[in-house]
Amino acid sequence: MNIPFLDAWRKRNADERARTAVGGESGSDPEGVADMLAECDLLRARVQEFGVRLDDTPRSLEAIDQLPPRWRDDPEELPWLGNDAGLYLGTVIVRTVPGASWYLTPGGHPVVRLASGRELHVVEAGLDWAMSGSPELSQVYAEAAEG
């Protein structure tokens, strides 16, 4: 049954639940969620093999961009590494760009919302980077830092 006002109500409530999950309202734990999204264990393990330490800075994104893309040889690992790269990119943005925060879409996908209201689909950017090397993670960060 299609009842337009119910569809609008459901969307509004889903948006509010998503904001509450990450945005720090109604007793949520935004730092806990941010810490969970920042884990990126597979990415951390792979870059450590090359002596790169992920310290949540834009400089570390530049270092990741320079790594040889050996993960492309493993089709099973590729999407997982891309997912981690996107979450790490989001972590760096949230921790270093004023006003940036994590936001869960109604479908449960983590995105970064900038102070301007613009949303960055960082996981998609990470997957694109892992598969093709473009756009570079540092480039996505630079665009986010500009607003």
Side-chain angles (χ1 to χ4, degrees):
M1 179 181 275
N2 183 15
I3 304 173
F5 77 88
L6 281 180
D7 290 339
W9 178 83
R10 284 186 189 117
K11 181 182 182 328
R12 198 170 47 248
N13 283 330
D15 289 346
E16 182 60 30
R17 284 191 305 275
R19 275 192 299 281
T20 299
V22 180
E25 301 169 13
S26 304
S28 69
D29 180 12
E31 269 306 306
V33 172
D35 288 344
M36 180 187 71
L37 293 173
E39 287 179 2
C40 312
D41 291 335
L42 178 60
L43 178 67
R44 289 181 190 281
R46 292 300 169 262
V47 302
Q48 188 174 19
E49 294 170 4
F50 294 97
V52 174
R53 185 168 118 23
L54 301 184
D55 59 1
D56 300 345
T57 64
R59 190 174 57 255
S60 64
L61 294 172
E62 293 170 4
I64 295 170
D65 286 336
Q66 300 307 311
L67 296 177
R70 293 186 184 153
W71 53 85
R72 291 187 193 140
D73 296 335
D74 186 346
E76 291 183 24
E77 186 173 289
L78 181 72
W80 294 105
L81 188 100
N83 186 71
D84 273 11
L87 293 175
Y88 182 69
L89 169 63
T91 296
V92 174
I93 293 169
V94 167
R95 292 187 176 168
T96 61
V97 174
S101 61
W102 284 108
Y103 173 78
L104 294 178
T105 65
H109 302 286
V111 298
V112 172
R113 183 174 284 163
L114 302 176
S116 66
R118 182 173 154 221
E119 292 182 358
L120 301 174
H121 296 269
V122 291
V123 171
E124 289 176 16
L127 289 168
D128 290 344
W129 170 83
M131 289 190 288
S132 68
S134 180
E136 290 184 335
L137 300 175
S138 58
Q139 177 186 353
V140 176
Y141 173 84
E143 292 171 6
E146 290 176 2

